Amino acid sequence: MNKQTFQYLIGGILALVIAMSIGRFAYTVILPYMQDTFAFSRATAGFLATSNYLGYLVGALIAGRLQIGDKRIPFLQIALVISILTTAMMGFTDVIIAWYALRFMSGVMSAFIFVAAASLVLDQLAGNGKAHLSGLFYSGVGTGIALSAVIVSPIHAMFDWNGTWIALALFCAVLFVFIVLLIKPVTQQTQEKSSQTVAPQRVPPTTWMKWLILAYSLEGLGYIVTGTFIVSIAEESTNFHGDAAIVWFVVGIAAIPSCIVWSKLAQRYGYVRTLFISMLFQGLGIVLPAFATNTMTLYASAFIFGATFMGITTVATTLARQIVPVNSHQILGYLTAGYALGQMLGPSLAGTLANYTNSYQNALFGATAVVVVGALCLISGLKYEKVKVGELRSIT
């Protein structure tokens, strides 16, 4: 791996920590503290999450249509700055309308950052024959989640919920400095080398993309129920005694190697097949707390969730880029938009249902069903990998 590719990889990981681990998911671990302070309902918690995911949807749709081309780096930097500011400003107000606006804007920036960073890093890796390292890039989300789970509780103990938001923003500001130093325009020499190292791959046809987008959209709708409420579910149980953040730590630890593992499995057994299996496995993790909320089931649910949700993103986005390798930021934008639409609806529906039934059980059953249906949407793509296996056997 050349120096510039390595720098892009590390810079991309740090960008995901800011956009996804902090900008999107820090809310999950801070939410119980905010609920304790302001006593708002599960439905309100869901609507606040939805405002963030609505922003993510809007951002993904815009990113998919923008012709940013060689302006991806300044585009990424501006989005990172705004993301950090929205995180900090959450700690400077207790007006719920302002929270809605800030979470919405944070969502827009998360989508911008994800699409721009993924496009930059995946293009750089593919151009230098290192596409198999995409799992390392996506591991940034799990790393950030595990880190936030560890630091949020002690920060909250010292500075309360609002100081926690501000401290996380300051942490992101430090990461931003490193990103600016690491992700710089590709040199002409690297571009020439890249054009010589790109190798075509056999993948499902572009007409099959609709099934991938549908499956990934349903994944967004289902996974986000656990992604938003698992810490609150643990907090409401009698097993954690105020230490429910440890559940989120388990999610992060499981997520760190997951992208690499699922990426390796996809290369060996096929991307569609791996995506299908990972979504079914995730469905099992989502449904576990619907049967019991003891320590074992919550830890198991957290581990399975962490071990799958970013792995699914890794496999799905890599597959999409292989199907449509030209203008990758556009297809990633459309794929992310479907995912964002699902995760926008998920928290509101689940939060409202949980508020009405005074339990998360039915919401978890529904989320599991949605993810399983999403997996079934992929079945038609398995035939392309059977052809590929047959071709490989004839060659060998």
Side-chain angles (χ1 to χ4, degrees):
M1 184 188 303
N2 64 41
K3 180 180 178 181
Q4 191 154 39
T5 301
F6 178 75
Q7 290 179 335
Y8 266 54
L9 180 59
I10 300 302
I13 289 172
L14 298 182
L16 289 187
V17 171
I18 293 175
M20 313 297 279
S21 305
I22 306 298
R24 186 199 297 188
F25 287 121
Y27 172 75
T28 300
V29 71
I30 300 175
L31 172 60
Y33 300 130
M34 296 174 70
Q35 285 180 304
D36 287 345
T37 302
F38 299 101
F40 53 77
S41 68
R42 296 186 183 100
T44 298
F47 289 134
L48 272 171
T50 290
S51 67
N52 181 255
Y53 305 137
L54 173 60
Y56 196 78
L57 170 62
V58 171
L61 289 172
I62 293 173
R65 292 178 176 273
L66 289 177
Q67 301 293 330
I68 51 178
D70 57 359
K71 298 179 181 178
R72 286 180 295 179
I73 292 178
F75 180 82
L76 174 64
Q77 292 174 349
I78 293 171
L80 284 166
V81 169
I82 298 174
S83 176
I84 294 168
L85 290 175
T86 59
T87 298
M89 291 172 67
M90 282 292 293
F92 286 104
T93 181
D94 58 6
V95 179
I96 196 164
I97 296 299
W99 287 346
Y100 281 125
L102 289 170
R103 296 306 293 155
F104 174 83
M105 185 56 65
S106 175
V108 173
M109 293 305 113
S110 291
F112 282 177
I113 294 165
F114 178 81
V115 171
S119 177
L120 284 164
V121 175
L122 294 182
D123 284 359
Q124 183 73 8
L125 289 173
N128 287 275
K130 302 293 182 181
H132 61 284
L133 297 179
S134 61
L136 286 174
F137 165 62
Y138 291 111
S139 69
V141 178
T143 302
I145 286 175
L147 182 61
S148 67
V150 170
I151 66 177
V152 162
S153 291
I155 293 174
H156 173 264
M158 291 185 291
F159 302 110
D160 210 352
W161 68 271
N162 51 345
T164 304
W165 282 110
I166 296 168
L168 290 176
L170 292 174
F171 171 68
C172 290
V174 174
L175 298 185
F176 174 74
V177 174
F178 287 100
I179 294 170
V180 172
L181 294 174
L182 290 168
I183 299 183
K184 297 178 180 179
V186 178
T187 62
Q188 186 65 33
Q189 181 179 359
T190 303
Q191 288 176 337
E192 291 174 359
K193 181 180 178 181
S194 298
S195 64
Q196 297 171 358
T197 55
V198 176
Q201 296 182 348
R202 288 295 304 273
V203 294
T206 55
T207 54
W208 188 80
M209 270 299 301
K210 62 180 180 291
W211 292 108
L212 178 59
I213 292 173
L214 178 58
Y216 197 53
S217 301
L218 291 172
E219 159 67 11
L221 177 59
Y223 100 97
I224 200 59
V225 175
T226 296
T228 300
F229 294 113
I230 190 169
V231 177
S232 293
I233 293 171
E235 188 75 28
E236 292 182 9
S237 74
T238 58
N239 300 288
F240 291 91
H241 308 293
D243 295 324
I246 191 66
V247 173
W248 198 237
F249 177 74
V250 172
V251 171
I253 290 297
I256 292 172
S258 68
C259 302
I260 301 170
V261 172
W262 289 111
S263 183
K264 293 276 189 185
L265 290 172
Q267 292 171 53
R268 183 175 180 85
Y269 298 107
Y271 282 84
V272 179
R273 183 178 291 104
T274 301
L275 195 57
F276 174 75
I277 293 171
S278 62
M279 289 180 68
L280 291 180
F281 186 43
Q282 184 184 79
L284 172 63
I286 293 172
V287 81
L288 284 176
F291 296 108
T293 55
N294 56 53
T295 305
M296 181 176 295
T297 56
L298 284 168
Y299 280 150
S301 176
F303 182 84
I304 294 173
F305 174 72
T308 54
F309 85 101
M310 280 311 300
I312 289 170
T313 292
T314 302
V315 176
T317 54
T318 304
L319 176 60
R321 192 193 175 281
Q322 289 176 353
I323 295 173
V324 187
V326 180
N327 292 325
S328 63
H329 77 278
Q330 291 186 340
I331 192 59
L332 289 174
Y334 294 136
L335 187 69
T336 303
Y339 187 75
L341 177 61
Q343 69 178 13
M344 179 193 73
L345 297 173
S348 292
L349 294 173
T352 301
L353 182 59
N355 208 49
Y356 179 76
T357 61
N358 200 33
S359 170
Y360 287 103
Q361 185 179 48
N362 291 327
L364 292 171
F365 280 133
T368 302
V370 166
V371 171
V372 170
V373 171
L376 295 178
C377 291
L378 299 168
I379 290 178
S380 64
L382 296 175
K383 62 184 178 183
Y384 300 106
E385 293 177 340
K386 289 180 180 178
V387 170
K388 184 177 180 182
V389 171
E391 289 176 348
L392 288 174
R393 284 175 179 170
S394 66
I395 292 172
T396 56

